[in-house]
Amino acid sequence: MDVLIRSVAIFAFLWFVVRVGGKREVAQLSAFDMILLITVGDLVSQGIVQEDYSVTAAVIAVATFTLAGILLNAVTFRFPRFRPWLAGRARIVVRDGEPLLQTLAGERMTIKDVHEAAREKGIRRLSDIELCVLETDGSFSFFTRDDDKEGAPEGPDALS
């Protein structure tokens, strides 16, 4: 039972750290960040199982993390009003070519981050962007002015 309680406490702490860390931080993990995460994983496992290195303790810890993740997903599905609080919400960071600096600051991002993401999508100027959305997973969605000229997309790839 002790492993179960420690697992829930560590899960809640890690969920909080990821939420506070920001969307782009999670989406832009470098090689060093991955090594750091592996190290943190080892440290967390020591905190969860302490001196109990049995297979049973490891199974209980992994099962607790899995069930806690499933429970969070179920809560966000069953109670949509909790979804923004638990999973985050998409934020508009550029509207009609103008960056929303307060929103960017709130997400701990700079306009350079938006420029970089736009260049990756082949967008040269912010003035070409009608809308840029920072998604809950930390990725950007761009809607350019050229999209309006093409009309509504058709076929199986069309958005509904």
Side-chain angles (χ1 to χ4, degrees), residues 20-78:
V20 168
K23 297 175 196 144
R24 287 302 288 177
E25 298 302 321
V26 175
Q28 296 180 332
L29 294 177
S30 67
F32 176 76
D33 294 330
M34 292 301 286
I35 292 169
L36 188 61
L37 281 175
I38 292 168
T39 304
V40 167
D42 183 51
L43 294 172
V44 166
S45 72
Q46 291 175 22
I48 291 172
V49 297
Q50 286 182 342
E51 297 298 321
D52 186 355
Y53 295 110
S54 69
V55 172
T56 306
V59 168
I60 290 171
V62 169
T64 301
F65 267 55
T66 302
L67 290 174
I70 291 169
L71 179 65
L72 275 181
N73 285 336
V75 167
T76 59
F77 180 75
R78 179 111 175 144

Side-chain angles (χ1 to χ4, degrees), residues 15 19 23 76 82-91 135-136:
W15 173 83
R19 293 288 294 145
K23 297 175 196 144
T76 59
F82 292 121
R83 188 173 298 141
W85 188 77
L86 293 173
R89 60 188 170 108
R91 305 284 307 263
E135 303 293 351
T136 59

